[in-house]
Amino acid sequence: MTDFNMSDKSDSPVQRILSWVARLVVSFAVPLLVFVVLYFGFLFLRDSNAPQIVITISAIIWGVGGAAALYWVTNWVIQRTNGIWRKRLTPFMFVGPAIAILGWYLMLPTLRSFYLSFFDRVSENFVGLDNYIYVFTDPTMQTAFVNNLLWLVVGTGGSVLLGLIIALLADRSGFEKVAKAFIFAPMAISFVGAGVIWKFIYAYQPPGYEQIGLLNAIVTSFGGDPQNWIVMRPWNNIFLIFILIWLQTGFAMVVLSAAIKTVPNELLEAGRIDGAGEIRIITSIIVPSIKGSIVTVSTTILLITLKIFDIVYSMTNGLYGTEVLASQQYKQMFKFLHYGRGSAIAIIILLAVTPVIWYNLKQFGKREVF
């Protein structure tokens, strides 16, 4: 990249303009050609009367082969240019599709949601900031804000803290691999799947009936009364958050365990020789040494909690005081069919996650991840 900049500075203004025009053409020409070819291929296959298996195989060959062929042809043309132009244009051949995909699937929906957030239920009449006023004044939305804050603090803090403790203990145990595999296993389960599993754990039957829920079975075995855990306000939010902690602790453990292994043994031994106990070594040497990894894990889980939806929807559907922003957005959009309010909530969620994403990218840049 440095070479490109140096050559740009030595070029004349006309050459710089031609260079950027060529880069833009290459960036957009490849995805445009891919889309055109795939579109006509789709039309051909749609109108074909061939057997389904033939159409399926043809679609795979057409889609994958066509895109590969277009990249190959474009790269072949670029490789025929002189050295400077080849260096300048080759990266943009791969940047173009990424820009096109991000623009189509991310930027356009975002701009459209922002536009619709200023309109009424059917997106016909301009209502100004009414939808945003609703978002910040409606009692249900205020409950959603409070619950999201609870998810942020307890969910993120619990996952990271538990992951760090398990990583420290697992690294000192003789069955590290088995313990890590056991803790990491829930990561393979979807949020909805986890909700179904934990519905059985929290299942409730009135006193006198057989308790099929694991938690109530334990409580009643010790002589206690069965509890309807998911309707107990405000503790039901904690019970739902525990599902997120169960899912994300494995992720935090794996990342933090890898970071702990990079702490030099000489540093740990020096601390022990100076008389520091294990707690002091953890708080004064290990944790400061892996601070970057802790921040990365925390912000990643933070993003998940800001967008949390699946667990709440599958467990309570937002009832019993468990509403969160994403569940309210879904209900406004697809249940109440109020596209203005749903779009306004989506914009609020976007504004909430943007600083976290920006901070994560900044940290990745410092570590030269990209």
Side-chain angles (χ1 to χ4, degrees), residues 18-144:
L18 287 175
S19 174
W20 278 107
V21 170
R23 292 172 183 180
L24 290 175
V25 169
V26 171
S27 297
F28 288 101
V30 173
L32 185 62
L33 283 172
V34 170
F35 291 147
V36 171
V37 171
L38 294 179
Y39 177 73
F40 281 105
F42 165 75
L43 293 180
F44 173 77
L45 293 174
R46 184 193 63 181
D47 300 333
S48 173
N49 295 321
Q52 192 66 36
I53 183 65
V54 175
I55 293 177
T56 303
I57 295 174
S58 300
I60 294 173
I61 295 174
W62 187 270
V64 179
L70 283 171
Y71 274 105
W72 184 85
V73 170
T74 307
N75 185 58
W76 184 86
V77 171
I78 292 176
Q79 296 305 316
R80 301 283 80 75
T81 60
N82 63 44
I84 293 178
W85 282 94
R86 186 165 57 245
K87 288 183 179 179
R88 289 174 176 173
L89 298 179
T90 299
F92 286 86
M93 183 182 69
F94 299 98
V95 169
I99 294 175
I101 292 172
L102 280 175
W104 185 262
Y105 289 106
L106 185 62
M107 292 305 297
L108 285 181
T110 301
L111 293 175
R112 180 169 171 76
S113 296
F114 182 69
Y115 173 78
L116 293 178
S117 68
F118 296 104
F119 284 81
D120 64 355
R121 175 187 296 273
V122 292
S123 307
E124 290 182 350
N125 302 310
F126 182 76
V127 296
L129 296 176
D130 284 1
N131 292 322
Y132 290 95
I133 293 173
Y134 166 83
V135 169
F136 290 106
T137 57
D138 181 73
T140 304
M141 286 302 304
Q142 291 174 351
T143 300

Side-chain angles (χ1 to χ4, degrees), residues 67-364:
L70 283 171
Y71 274 105
W72 184 85
V73 170
T74 307
N75 185 58
W76 184 86
V77 171
I78 292 176
Q79 296 305 316
R80 301 283 80 75
T81 60
N82 63 44
I84 293 178
W85 282 94
R86 186 165 57 245
K87 288 183 179 179
R88 289 174 176 173
L89 298 179
T90 299
F92 286 86
M93 183 182 69
F94 299 98
V95 169
I99 294 175
I101 292 172
L102 280 175
W104 185 262
Y105 289 106
L106 185 62
M107 292 305 297
L108 285 181
T110 301
L111 293 175
R112 180 169 171 76
S113 296
F114 182 69
Y115 173 78
L116 293 178
S117 68
F118 296 104
F119 284 81
D120 64 355
R121 175 187 296 273
V122 292
S123 307
E124 290 182 350
N125 302 310
F126 182 76
V127 296
L129 296 176
D130 284 1
N131 292 322
Y132 290 95
I133 293 173
Y134 166 83
V135 169
F136 290 106
T137 57
D138 181 73
T140 304
M141 286 302 304
Q142 291 174 351
T143 300
F145 276 112
V146 172
N147 288 341
N148 260 101
L149 185 62
L150 194 64
W151 279 83
L152 286 177
V153 176
V154 180
T156 305
S159 300
V160 175
L161 182 61
L162 204 56
L164 177 61
I165 293 173
I166 294 173
L168 289 167
L169 295 176
D171 287 342
R172 288 166 168 74
S173 70
F175 48 93
E176 177 186 353
K177 292 182 179 178
V178 176
K180 286 182 175 177
F182 184 74
I183 299 298
F184 190 74
M187 278 289 293
I189 303 172
S190 69
F191 281 11
V192 175
V196 173
I197 292 172
W198 281 84
K199 263 193 172 182
F200 287 107
I201 295 177
Y202 292 144
Y204 165 79
Q205 292 292 332
Y209 289 83
E210 182 181 2
Q211 299 298 322
I212 60 172
L214 175 63
L215 203 53
N216 275 323
I218 295 174
V219 170
T220 54
S221 69
F222 286 98
D225 294 327
Q227 304 293 329
N228 198 348
W229 307 101
I230 61 173
V231 302
M232 293 172 57
R233 304 186 188 191
W235 300 106
N236 51 357
N237 282 294
I238 301 297
F239 296 138
L240 297 185
I241 293 171
F242 191 77
I243 301 173
L244 175 78
I245 296 174
W246 179 67
L247 289 170
Q248 295 299 315
T249 295
F251 164 69
M253 175 202 65
V254 169
V255 176
L256 297 179
S257 178
I260 290 172
K261 290 183 185 302
T262 64
V263 180
N265 283 327
E266 294 79 5
L267 197 60
L268 302 176
E269 290 302 324
R272 292 189 179 101
I273 292 173
D274 289 341
E278 287 303 311
I279 299 297
R280 181 69 182 276
I281 288 176
I282 291 171
T283 56
S284 301
I285 298 177
I286 295 179
V287 171
S289 299
I290 63 171
K291 186 173 66 176
S293 298
I294 294 176
V295 171
T296 301
V297 171
S298 300
T299 51
T300 302
I301 300 177
L302 202 69
L303 289 173
I304 296 173
T305 57
L306 281 169
K307 301 178 295 182
I308 196 71
F309 167 75
D310 316 60
I311 295 175
V312 174
Y313 190 76
S314 60
M315 291 291 290
T316 63
N317 194 22
L319 301 175
Y320 319 118
T322 60
E323 204 73 74
V324 291
L325 292 178
S327 63
Q328 261 297 297
Q329 181 208 350
Y330 177 85
K331 287 180 180 177
Q332 291 292 343
M333 292 288 290
F334 303 108
K335 185 175 181 180
F336 306 136
L337 301 179
H338 200 305
Y339 299 113
R341 289 177 179 175
S343 300
I345 298 172
I347 295 299
I348 296 298
I349 296 174
L350 176 66
L351 293 177
V353 301
T354 299
V356 184
I357 294 175
W358 175 82
Y359 181 80
N360 253 359
L361 294 176
K362 191 177 177 182
Q363 294 300 315
F364 289 153

